[in-house]
PDB file of all heavy atoms in Angstrom:
ATOM      1  N   ARG M 955     112.903  93.885 133.877  1.00  0.00           N
ATOM      2  CA  ARG M 955     112.923  92.448 134.388  1.00  0.00           C
ATOM      3  C   ARG M 955     113.229  91.454 133.270  1.00  0.00           C
ATOM      4  O   ARG M 955     113.500  90.321 133.574  1.00  0.00           O
ATOM      5  CB  ARG M 955     111.602  92.146 135.058  1.00  0.00           C
ATOM      6  CG  ARG M 955     110.311  92.235 134.203  1.00  0.00           C
ATOM      7  CD  ARG M 955     109.022  91.986 135.008  1.00  0.00           C
ATOM      8  NE  ARG M 955     108.852  93.009 135.996  1.00  0.00           N
ATOM      9  CZ  ARG M 955     107.839  92.932 136.992  1.00  0.00           C
ATOM     10  NH1 ARG M 955     107.040  91.936 136.960  1.00  0.00           N
ATOM     11  NH2 ARG M 955     107.734  93.921 137.830  1.00  0.00           N
ATOM     12  N   ASP M 956     113.088  91.783 131.992  1.00  0.00           N
ATOM     13  CA  ASP M 956     113.394  90.887 130.983  1.00  0.00           C
ATOM     14  C   ASP M 956     114.696  91.271 130.215  1.00  0.00           C
ATOM     15  O   ASP M 956     114.954  90.815 129.145  1.00  0.00           O
ATOM     16  CB  ASP M 956     112.282  90.691 129.966  1.00  0.00           C
ATOM     17  CG  ASP M 956     112.068  91.870 129.098  1.00  0.00           C
ATOM     18  OD1 ASP M 956     112.563  92.974 129.426  1.00  0.00           O
ATOM     19  OD2 ASP M 956     111.267  91.821 128.122  1.00  0.00           O
ATOM     20  N   GLY M 957     115.561  92.197 130.818  1.00  0.00           N
ATOM     21  CA  GLY M 957     116.808  92.529 130.241  1.00  0.00           C
ATOM     22  C   GLY M 957     116.861  93.936 129.652  1.00  0.00           C
ATOM     23  O   GLY M 957     117.956  94.477 129.460  1.00  0.00           O
ATOM     24  N   ASP M 958     115.713  94.469 129.232  1.00  0.00           N
ATOM     25  CA  ASP M 958     115.675  95.854 128.762  1.00  0.00           C
ATOM     26  C   ASP M 958     114.368  96.397 129.276  1.00  0.00           C
ATOM     27  O   ASP M 958     113.520  95.725 129.919  1.00  0.00           O
ATOM     28  CB  ASP M 958     115.696  95.907 127.241  1.00  0.00           C
ATOM     29  CG  ASP M 958     114.577  95.005 126.636  1.00  0.00           C
ATOM     30  OD1 ASP M 958     113.399  95.339 126.744  1.00  0.00           O
ATOM     31  OD2 ASP M 958     114.902  93.979 126.046  1.00  0.00           O
ATOM     32  N   TRP M 959     114.162  97.710 129.127  1.00  0.00           N
ATOM     33  CA  TRP M 959     113.018  98.370 129.720  1.00  0.00           C
ATOM     34  C   TRP M 959     111.756  98.129 128.847  1.00  0.00           C
ATOM     35  O   TRP M 959     111.721  98.439 127.613  1.00  0.00           O
ATOM     36  CB  TRP M 959     113.262  99.864 129.872  1.00  0.00           C
ATOM     37  CG  TRP M 959     114.227 100.167 130.958  1.00  0.00           C
ATOM     38  CD1 TRP M 959     115.546 100.418 130.791  1.00  0.00           C
ATOM     39  CD2 TRP M 959     113.938 100.242 132.338  1.00  0.00           C
ATOM     40  NE1 TRP M 959     116.126 100.641 132.009  1.00  0.00           N
ATOM     41  CE2 TRP M 959     115.200 100.513 133.021  1.00  0.00           C
ATOM     42  CE3 TRP M 959     112.835 100.037 133.145  1.00  0.00           C
ATOM     43  CZ2 TRP M 959     115.337 100.622 134.361  1.00  0.00           C
ATOM     44  CZ3 TRP M 959     112.967 100.163 134.488  1.00  0.00           C
ATOM     45  CH2 TRP M 959     114.139 100.461 135.077  1.00  0.00           C
ATOM     46  N   ASP M 960     110.714  97.611 129.430  1.00  0.00           N
ATOM     47  CA  ASP M 960     109.424  97.449 128.731  1.00  0.00           C
ATOM     48  C   ASP M 960     108.307  98.030 129.609  1.00  0.00           C
ATOM     49  O   ASP M 960     108.517  98.291 130.768  1.00  0.00           O
ATOM     50  CB  ASP M 960     109.091  95.959 128.501  1.00  0.00           C
ATOM     51  CG  ASP M 960     109.872  95.362 127.352  1.00  0.00           C
ATOM     52  OD1 ASP M 960     110.058  96.005 126.318  1.00  0.00           O
ATOM     53  OD2 ASP M 960     110.347  94.251 127.452  1.00  0.00           O
ATOM     54  N   ILE M 961     107.161  98.280 129.016  1.00  0.00           N
ATOM     55  CA  ILE M 961     105.960  98.781 129.692  1.00  0.00           C
ATOM     56  C   ILE M 961     105.130  97.570 130.111  1.00  0.00           C
ATOM     57  O   ILE M 961     104.881  96.643 129.325  1.00  0.00           O
ATOM     58  CB  ILE M 961     105.134  99.713 128.804  1.00  0.00           C
ATOM     59  CG1 ILE M 961     106.018 100.800 128.230  1.00  0.00           C
ATOM     60  CG2 ILE M 961     103.935 100.208 129.608  1.00  0.00           C
ATOM     61  CD1 ILE M 961     106.648 101.716 129.292  1.00  0.00           C
ATOM     62  N   TYR M 962     104.755  97.572 131.362  1.00  0.00           N
ATOM     63  CA  TYR M 962     103.945  96.521 131.967  1.00  0.00           C
ATOM     64  C   TYR M 962     102.620  97.090 132.583  1.00  0.00           C
ATOM     65  O   TYR M 962     102.570  98.300 132.828  1.00  0.00           O
ATOM     66  CB  TYR M 962     104.696  95.802 133.084  1.00  0.00           C
ATOM     67  CG  TYR M 962     105.843  94.922 132.620  1.00  0.00           C
ATOM     68  CD1 TYR M 962     107.012  95.503 132.263  1.00  0.00           C
ATOM     69  CD2 TYR M 962     105.704  93.537 132.552  1.00  0.00           C
ATOM     70  CE1 TYR M 962     108.069  94.746 131.828  1.00  0.00           C
ATOM     71  CE2 TYR M 962     106.793  92.719 132.095  1.00  0.00           C
ATOM     72  CZ  TYR M 962     107.909  93.303 131.795  1.00  0.00           C
ATOM     73  OH  TYR M 962     109.032  92.605 131.353  1.00  0.00           O
ATOM     74  N   GLY M 963     101.621  96.246 132.711  1.00  0.00           N
ATOM     75  CA  GLY M 963     100.420  96.613 133.408  1.00  0.00           C
ATOM     76  C   GLY M 963     100.169  95.641 134.493  1.00  0.00           C
ATOM     77  O   GLY M 963     100.542  94.448 134.440  1.00  0.00           O
ATOM     78  N   ALA M 964      99.514  96.087 135.587  1.00  0.00           N
ATOM     79  CA  ALA M 964      99.143  95.239 136.712  1.00  0.00           C
ATOM     80  C   ALA M 964      97.876  95.730 137.424  1.00  0.00           C
ATOM     81  O   ALA M 964      97.557  96.966 137.311  1.00  0.00           O
ATOM     82  CB  ALA M 964     100.317  95.171 137.697  1.00  0.00           C
ATOM     83  N   THR M 965      97.243  94.902 138.143  1.00  0.00           N
ATOM     84  CA  THR M 965      96.098  95.276 138.977  1.00  0.00           C
ATOM     85  C   THR M 965      96.549  96.252 140.073  1.00  0.00           C
ATOM     86  O   THR M 965      97.493  95.943 140.744  1.00  0.00           O
ATOM     87  CB  THR M 965      95.378  94.046 139.577  1.00  0.00           C
ATOM     88  OG1 THR M 965      95.115  93.095 138.475  1.00  0.00           O
ATOM     89  CG2 THR M 965      94.128  94.411 140.297  1.00  0.00           C
ATOM     90  N   ALA M 966      95.825  97.302 140.245  1.00  0.00           N
ATOM     91  CA  ALA M 966      96.245  98.344 141.171  1.00  0.00           C
ATOM     92  C   ALA M 966      96.109  97.947 142.629  1.00  0.00           C
ATOM     93  O   ALA M 966      96.737  98.561 143.482  1.00  0.00           O
ATOM     94  CB  ALA M 966      95.404  99.655 140.887  1.00  0.00           C
ATOM     95  N   THR M 967      95.154  97.008 142.909  1.00  0.00           N
ATOM     96  CA  THR M 967      94.910  96.677 144.380  1.00  0.00           C
ATOM     97  C   THR M 967      96.027  95.774 144.923  1.00  0.00           C
ATOM     98  O   THR M 967      96.384  95.935 146.109  1.00  0.00           O
ATOM     99  CB  THR M 967      93.589  95.895 144.441  1.00  0.00           C
ATOM    100  OG1 THR M 967      93.601  94.777 143.558  1.00  0.00           O
ATOM    101  CG2 THR M 967      92.427  96.789 144.124  1.00  0.00           C
ATOM    102  N   ASP M 968      96.617  94.878 144.138  1.00  0.00           N
ATOM    103  CA  ASP M 968      97.589  93.952 144.713  1.00  0.00           C
ATOM    104  C   ASP M 968      98.756  93.525 143.782  1.00  0.00           C
ATOM    105  O   ASP M 968      99.641  92.761 144.125  1.00  0.00           O
ATOM    106  CB  ASP M 968      96.899  92.657 145.110  1.00  0.00           C
ATOM    107  CG  ASP M 968      96.213  91.968 143.922  1.00  0.00           C
ATOM    108  OD1 ASP M 968      96.317  92.456 142.801  1.00  0.00           O
ATOM    109  OD2 ASP M 968      95.444  90.981 144.221  1.00  0.00           O
ATOM    110  N   GLY M 969      98.838  94.210 142.581  1.00  0.00           N
ATOM    111  CA  GLY M 969      99.936  93.947 141.684  1.00  0.00           C
ATOM    112  C   GLY M 969      99.766  92.637 140.867  1.00  0.00           C
ATOM    113  O   GLY M 969     100.734  92.208 140.178  1.00  0.00           O
ATOM    114  N   SER M 970      98.584  91.983 140.917  1.00  0.00           N
ATOM    115  CA  SER M 970      98.378  90.747 140.257  1.00  0.00           C
ATOM    116  C   SER M 970      98.118  91.012 138.761  1.00  0.00           C
ATOM    117  O   SER M 970      98.035  92.153 138.326  1.00  0.00           O
ATOM    118  CB  SER M 970      97.246  89.980 140.810  1.00  0.00           C
ATOM    119  OG  SER M 970      96.070  90.754 140.713  1.00  0.00           O
ATOM    120  N   SER M 971      98.009  89.913 137.978  1.00  0.00           N
ATOM    121  CA  SER M 971      97.751  90.018 136.508  1.00  0.00           C
ATOM    122  C   SER M 971      98.789  90.854 135.801  1.00  0.00           C
ATOM    123  O   SER M 971      98.426  91.765 135.030  1.00  0.00           O
ATOM    124  CB  SER M 971      96.329  90.481 136.319  1.00  0.00           C
ATOM    125  OG  SER M 971      95.383  89.653 136.943  1.00  0.00           O
ATOM    126  N   VAL M 972     100.052  90.657 136.061  1.00  0.00           N
ATOM    127  CA  VAL M 972     101.062  91.502 135.420  1.00  0.00           C
ATOM    128  C   VAL M 972     101.239  91.056 133.959  1.00  0.00           C
ATOM    129  O   VAL M 972     101.279  89.871 133.645  1.00  0.00           O
ATOM    130  CB  VAL M 972     102.443  91.266 136.097  1.00  0.00           C
ATOM    131  CG1 VAL M 972     103.507  92.021 135.369  1.00  0.00           C
ATOM    132  CG2 VAL M 972     102.395  91.688 137.555  1.00  0.00           C
ATOM    133  N   THR M 973     101.190  92.026 133.082  1.00  0.00           N
ATOM    134  CA  THR M 973     101.259  91.814 131.631  1.00  0.00           C
ATOM    135  C   THR M 973     102.360  92.658 130.994  1.00  0.00           C
ATOM    136  O   THR M 973     102.406  93.872 131.236  1.00  0.00           O
ATOM    137  CB  THR M 973      99.908  92.121 130.939  1.00  0.00           C
ATOM    138  OG1 THR M 973      98.889  91.414 131.600  1.00  0.00           O
ATOM    139  CG2 THR M 973      99.959  91.820 129.474  1.00  0.00           C
ATOM    140  N   ASN M 974     103.204  92.057 130.223  1.00  0.00           N
ATOM    141  CA  ASN M 974     104.258  92.758 129.393  1.00  0.00           C
ATOM    142  C   ASN M 974     103.589  93.312 128.146  1.00  0.00           C
ATOM    143  O   ASN M 974     103.100  92.571 127.334  1.00  0.00           O
ATOM    144  CB  ASN M 974     105.390  91.828 129.088  1.00  0.00           C
ATOM    145  CG  ASN M 974     106.520  92.564 128.386  1.00  0.00           C
ATOM    146  OD1 ASN M 974     106.347  93.698 127.909  1.00  0.00           O
ATOM    147  ND2 ASN M 974     107.746  92.002 128.423  1.00  0.00           N
ATOM    148  N   LEU M 975     103.547  94.652 127.996  1.00  0.00           N
ATOM    149  CA  LEU M 975     102.756  95.232 126.912  1.00  0.00           C
ATOM    150  C   LEU M 975     103.612  95.546 125.703  1.00  0.00           C
ATOM    151  O   LEU M 975     103.079  95.620 124.620  1.00  0.00           O
ATOM    152  CB  LEU M 975     102.089  96.484 127.405  1.00  0.00           C
ATOM    153  CG  LEU M 975     101.082  96.319 128.582  1.00  0.00           C
ATOM    154  CD1 LEU M 975     100.540  97.725 129.058  1.00  0.00           C
ATOM    155  CD2 LEU M 975      99.950  95.416 128.174  1.00  0.00           C
ATOM    156  N   THR M 976     104.895  95.792 125.882  1.00  0.00           N
ATOM    157  CA  THR M 976     105.665  96.236 124.688  1.00  0.00           C
ATOM    158  C   THR M 976     106.629  95.155 124.114  1.00  0.00           C
ATOM    159  O   THR M 976     106.770  95.031 122.946  1.00  0.00           O
ATOM    160  CB  THR M 976     106.493  97.516 125.029  1.00  0.00           C
ATOM    161  OG1 THR M 976     107.265  97.289 126.177  1.00  0.00           O
ATOM    162  CG2 THR M 976     105.515  98.712 125.232  1.00  0.00           C
ATOM    163  N   LYS M 977     107.277  94.395 124.939  1.00  0.00           N
ATOM    164  CA  LYS M 977     108.031  93.231 124.522  1.00  0.00           C
ATOM    165  C   LYS M 977     109.030  93.520 123.340  1.00  0.00           C
ATOM    166  O   LYS M 977     109.092  92.792 122.340  1.00  0.00           O
ATOM    167  CB  LYS M 977     107.096  92.128 124.056  1.00  0.00           C
ATOM    168  CG  LYS M 977     106.138  91.660 125.156  1.00  0.00           C
ATOM    169  CD  LYS M 977     105.185  90.599 124.571  1.00  0.00           C
ATOM    170  CE  LYS M 977     104.184  90.201 125.646  1.00  0.00           C
ATOM    171  NZ  LYS M 977     103.184  89.271 125.060  1.00  0.00           N
ATOM    172  N   THR M 978     109.790  94.652 123.436  1.00  0.00           N
ATOM    173  CA  THR M 978     110.747  94.918 122.360  1.00  0.00           C
ATOM    174  C   THR M 978     112.154  94.685 122.943  1.00  0.00           C
ATOM    175  O   THR M 978     112.356  94.501 124.128  1.00  0.00           O
ATOM    176  CB  THR M 978     110.638  96.406 121.957  1.00  0.00           C
ATOM    177  OG1 THR M 978     111.047  97.228 122.998  1.00  0.00           O
ATOM    178  CG2 THR M 978     109.220  96.677 121.468  1.00  0.00           C
ATOM    179  N   ALA M 979     113.080  94.726 122.016  1.00  0.00           N
ATOM    180  CA  ALA M 979     114.518  94.629 122.452  1.00  0.00           C
ATOM    181  C   ALA M 979     115.121  95.983 122.790  1.00  0.00           C
ATOM    182  O   ALA M 979     116.293  96.089 123.050  1.00  0.00           O
ATOM    183  CB  ALA M 979     115.339  93.906 121.400  1.00  0.00           C
ATOM    184  N   LYS M 980     114.295  97.020 122.690  1.00  0.00           N
ATOM    185  CA  LYS M 980     114.786  98.329 123.004  1.00  0.00           C
ATOM    186  C   LYS M 980     114.145  98.803 124.367  1.00  0.00           C
ATOM    187  O   LYS M 980     113.674  97.977 125.060  1.00  0.00           O
ATOM    188  CB  LYS M 980     114.324  99.303 121.901  1.00  0.00           C
ATOM    189  CG  LYS M 980     114.911  99.034 120.515  1.00  0.00           C
ATOM    190  CD  LYS M 980     116.445  99.132 120.596  1.00  0.00           C
ATOM    191  CE  LYS M 980     117.005  98.919 119.193  1.00  0.00           C
ATOM    192  NZ  LYS M 980     118.455  99.110 119.139  1.00  0.00           N
ATOM    193  N   ASN M 981     114.321 100.087 124.706  1.00  0.00           N
ATOM    194  CA  ASN M 981     113.894 100.554 125.966  1.00  0.00           C
ATOM    195  C   ASN M 981     112.665 101.427 125.839  1.00  0.00           C
ATOM    196  O   ASN M 981     112.593 102.409 125.095  1.00  0.00           O
ATOM    197  CB  ASN M 981     115.026 101.434 126.598  1.00  0.00           C
ATOM    198  CG  ASN M 981     116.278 100.561 126.930  1.00  0.00           C
ATOM    199  OD1 ASN M 981     116.169  99.542 127.627  1.00  0.00           O
ATOM    200  ND2 ASN M 981     117.376 100.970 126.358  1.00  0.00           N
ATOM    201  N   ASP M 982     111.651 101.035 126.691  1.00  0.00           N
ATOM    202  CA  ASP M 982     110.369 101.811 126.710  1.00  0.00           C
ATOM    203  C   ASP M 982     110.103 102.236 128.171  1.00  0.00           C
ATOM    204  O   ASP M 982     110.212 101.460 129.079  1.00  0.00           O
ATOM    205  CB  ASP M 982     109.220 100.872 126.275  1.00  0.00           C
ATOM    206  CG  ASP M 982     109.452 100.275 124.875  1.00  0.00           C
ATOM    207  OD1 ASP M 982     109.939 100.999 124.006  1.00  0.00           O
ATOM    208  OD2 ASP M 982     109.094  99.126 124.684  1.00  0.00           O
ATOM    209  N   ARG M 983     109.887 103.579 128.303  1.00  0.00           N
ATOM    210  CA  ARG M 983     109.827 104.152 129.604  1.00  0.00           C
ATOM    211  C   ARG M 983     108.626 105.142 129.687  1.00  0.00           C
ATOM    212  O   ARG M 983     108.019 105.525 128.692  1.00  0.00           O
ATOM    213  CB  ARG M 983     111.054 104.947 130.025  1.00  0.00           C
ATOM    214  CG  ARG M 983     112.284 104.042 130.172  1.00  0.00           C
ATOM    215  CD  ARG M 983     112.356 103.391 131.545  1.00  0.00           C
ATOM    216  NE  ARG M 983     112.133 104.309 132.597  1.00  0.00           N
ATOM    217  CZ  ARG M 983     113.184 104.987 133.205  1.00  0.00           C
ATOM    218  NH1 ARG M 983     114.421 104.847 132.831  1.00  0.00           N
ATOM    219  NH2 ARG M 983     112.887 105.810 134.260  1.00  0.00           N
ATOM    220  N   TRP M 984     108.308 105.612 130.878  1.00  0.00           N
ATOM    221  CA  TRP M 984     107.412 106.740 131.200  1.00  0.00           C
ATOM    222  C   TRP M 984     106.052 106.597 130.556  1.00  0.00           C
ATOM    223  O   TRP M 984     105.571 107.497 129.826  1.00  0.00           O
ATOM    224  CB  TRP M 984     108.061 108.014 130.777  1.00  0.00           C
ATOM    225  CG  TRP M 984     109.372 108.269 131.429  1.00  0.00           C
ATOM    226  CD1 TRP M 984     109.634 108.446 132.751  1.00  0.00           C
ATOM    227  CD2 TRP M 984     110.669 108.342 130.756  1.00  0.00           C
ATOM    228  NE1 TRP M 984     111.017 108.714 133.000  1.00  0.00           N
ATOM    229  CE2 TRP M 984     111.625 108.569 131.753  1.00  0.00           C
ATOM    230  CE3 TRP M 984     111.078 108.197 129.405  1.00  0.00           C
ATOM    231  CZ2 TRP M 984     112.990 108.656 131.432  1.00  0.00           C
ATOM    232  CZ3 TRP M 984     112.436 108.325 129.129  1.00  0.00           C
ATOM    233  CH2 TRP M 984     113.366 108.504 130.083  1.00  0.00           C
ATOM    234  N   PRO M 985     105.270 105.580 130.895  1.00  0.00           N
ATOM    235  CA  PRO M 985     103.901 105.446 130.368  1.00  0.00           C
ATOM    236  C   PRO M 985     102.917 106.401 130.977  1.00  0.00           C
ATOM    237  O   PRO M 985     103.085 106.822 132.148  1.00  0.00           O
ATOM    238  CB  PRO M 985     103.500 104.018 130.669  1.00  0.00           C
ATOM    239  CG  PRO M 985     104.277 103.715 131.959  1.00  0.00           C
ATOM    240  CD  PRO M 985     105.595 104.430 131.841  1.00  0.00           C
ATOM    241  N   ASP M 986     101.882 106.799 130.247  1.00  0.00           N
ATOM    242  CA  ASP M 986     100.781 107.523 130.823  1.00  0.00           C
ATOM    243  C   ASP M 986      99.495 107.112 130.079  1.00  0.00           C
ATOM    244  O   ASP M 986      99.504 106.957 128.823  1.00  0.00           O
ATOM    245  CB  ASP M 986     100.964 109.072 130.622  1.00  0.00           C
ATOM    246  CG  ASP M 986      99.899 109.816 131.423  1.00  0.00           C
ATOM    247  OD1 ASP M 986      99.836 109.621 132.683  1.00  0.00           O
ATOM    248  OD2 ASP M 986      99.176 110.609 130.831  1.00  0.00           O
ATOM    249  N   SER M 987      98.464 106.899 130.809  1.00  0.00           N
ATOM    250  CA  SER M 987      97.237 106.188 130.269  1.00  0.00           C
ATOM    251  C   SER M 987      96.104 107.212 130.263  1.00  0.00           C
ATOM    252  O   SER M 987      95.949 108.115 131.133  1.00  0.00           O
ATOM    253  CB  SER M 987      96.879 104.986 131.173  1.00  0.00           C
ATOM    254  OG  SER M 987      95.863 104.274 130.577  1.00  0.00           O
ATOM    255  N   SER M 988      95.216 107.092 129.214  1.00  0.00           N
ATOM    256  CA  SER M 988      94.143 107.977 129.052  1.00  0.00           C
ATOM    257  C   SER M 988      92.950 107.245 128.343  1.00  0.00           C
ATOM    258  O   SER M 988      93.166 106.409 127.468  1.00  0.00           O
ATOM    259  CB  SER M 988      94.444 109.234 128.235  1.00  0.00           C
ATOM    260  OG  SER M 988      93.341 110.065 127.994  1.00  0.00           O
ATOM    261  N   ASP M 989      91.719 107.541 128.774  1.00  0.00           N
ATOM    262  CA  ASP M 989      90.530 107.052 128.076  1.00  0.00           C
ATOM    263  C   ASP M 989      90.303 107.920 126.876  1.00  0.00           C
ATOM    264  O   ASP M 989      89.789 109.041 126.968  1.00  0.00           O
ATOM    265  CB  ASP M 989      89.299 107.093 129.015  1.00  0.00           C
ATOM    266  CG  ASP M 989      88.072 106.479 128.383  1.00  0.00           C
ATOM    267  OD1 ASP M 989      88.216 105.865 127.301  1.00  0.00           O
ATOM    268  OD2 ASP M 989      86.995 106.664 128.948  1.00  0.00           O
ATOM    269  N   SER M 990      90.760 107.449 125.691  1.00  0.00           N
ATOM    270  CA  SER M 990      90.862 108.278 124.561  1.00  0.00           C
ATOM    271  C   SER M 990      90.174 107.627 123.316  1.00  0.00           C
ATOM    272  O   SER M 990      90.465 106.425 123.043  1.00  0.00           O
ATOM    273  CB  SER M 990      92.382 108.532 124.218  1.00  0.00           C
ATOM    274  OG  SER M 990      92.478 109.304 123.061  1.00  0.00           O
ATOM    275  N   PHE M 991      89.336 108.390 122.698  1.00  0.00           N
ATOM    276  CA  PHE M 991      88.684 107.933 121.494  1.00  0.00           C
ATOM    277  C   PHE M 991      87.952 106.621 121.645  1.00  0.00           C
ATOM    278  O   PHE M 991      87.024 106.513 122.435  1.00  0.00           O
ATOM    279  CB  PHE M 991      89.748 107.852 120.315  1.00  0.00           C
ATOM    280  CG  PHE M 991      90.345 109.193 120.013  1.00  0.00           C
ATOM    281  CD1 PHE M 991      91.594 109.474 120.411  1.00  0.00           C
ATOM    282  CD2 PHE M 991      89.648 110.183 119.354  1.00  0.00           C
ATOM    283  CE1 PHE M 991      92.210 110.713 120.126  1.00  0.00           C
ATOM    284  CE2 PHE M 991      90.221 111.412 119.042  1.00  0.00           C
ATOM    285  CZ  PHE M 991      91.477 111.749 119.511  1.00  0.00           C
ATOM    286  N   ASP M 992      88.421 105.494 121.034  1.00  0.00           N
ATOM    287  CA  ASP M 992      87.711 104.218 121.136  1.00  0.00           C
ATOM    288  C   ASP M 992      88.306 103.234 122.017  1.00  0.00           C
ATOM    289  O   ASP M 992      88.100 102.017 121.974  1.00  0.00           O
ATOM    290  CB  ASP M 992      87.559 103.596 119.688  1.00  0.00           C
ATOM    291  CG  ASP M 992      88.991 103.378 119.117  1.00  0.00           C
ATOM    292  OD1 ASP M 992      89.942 103.895 119.571  1.00  0.00           O
ATOM    293  OD2 ASP M 992      88.993 102.717 118.074  1.00  0.00           O
ATOM    294  N   GLY M 993      89.088 103.698 123.070  1.00  0.00           N
ATOM    295  CA  GLY M 993      89.621 102.752 124.052  1.00  0.00           C
ATOM    296  C   GLY M 993      90.731 103.422 124.850  1.00  0.00           C
ATOM    297  O   GLY M 993      91.048 104.551 124.642  1.00  0.00           O
ATOM    298  N   GLU M 994      91.233 102.652 125.814  1.00  0.00           N
ATOM    299  CA  GLU M 994      92.290 103.136 126.666  1.00  0.00           C
ATOM    300  C   GLU M 994      93.604 103.248 125.881  1.00  0.00           C
ATOM    301  O   GLU M 994      94.110 102.213 125.441  1.00  0.00           O
ATOM    302  CB  GLU M 994      92.412 102.294 127.890  1.00  0.00           C
ATOM    303  CG  GLU M 994      93.348 102.821 128.965  1.00  0.00           C
ATOM    304  CD  GLU M 994      92.647 103.722 129.936  1.00  0.00           C
ATOM    305  OE1 GLU M 994      91.486 104.002 129.884  1.00  0.00           O
ATOM    306  OE2 GLU M 994      93.352 104.195 130.927  1.00  0.00           O
ATOM    307  N   LEU M 995      94.178 104.373 125.827  1.00  0.00           N
ATOM    308  CA  LEU M 995      95.499 104.557 125.079  1.00  0.00           C
ATOM    309  C   LEU M 995      96.601 104.873 126.174  1.00  0.00           C
ATOM    310  O   LEU M 995      96.390 105.550 127.101  1.00  0.00           O
ATOM    311  CB  LEU M 995      95.438 105.751 124.138  1.00  0.00           C
ATOM    312  CG  LEU M 995      94.813 105.503 122.733  1.00  0.00           C
ATOM    313  CD1 LEU M 995      94.840 106.755 121.923  1.00  0.00           C
ATOM    314  CD2 LEU M 995      95.592 104.379 122.025  1.00  0.00           C
ATOM    315  N   ILE M 996      97.706 104.328 125.868  1.00  0.00           N
ATOM    316  CA  ILE M 996      98.909 104.579 126.637  1.00  0.00           C
ATOM    317  C   ILE M 996      99.936 105.276 125.789  1.00  0.00           C
ATOM    318  O   ILE M 996     100.281 104.799 124.671  1.00  0.00           O
ATOM    319  CB  ILE M 996      99.501 103.238 127.174  1.00  0.00           C
ATOM    320  CG1 ILE M 996      98.491 102.588 128.125  1.00  0.00           C
ATOM    321  CG2 ILE M 996     100.854 103.521 127.892  1.00  0.00           C
ATOM    322  CD1 ILE M 996      98.956 101.198 128.563  1.00  0.00           C
TER     323      ILE M 996
END
Side-chain angles (χ1 to χ4, degrees):
R955 61 185 65 187
D956 70 348
D958 56 70
W959 290 98
D960 283 319
I961 307 300
Y962 289 77
T965 305
T967 53
D968 58 7
S970 61
S971 303
V972 178
T973 305
N974 186 342
L975 300 176
T976 54
K977 302 178 183 178
T978 69
K980 298 296 184 178
N981 295 304
D982 303 322
R983 293 280 309 271
W984 303 294
D986 191 56
S987 188
S988 175
D989 184 10
S990 177
F991 300 104
D992 57 349
E994 188 87 357
L995 276 180
I996 297 172

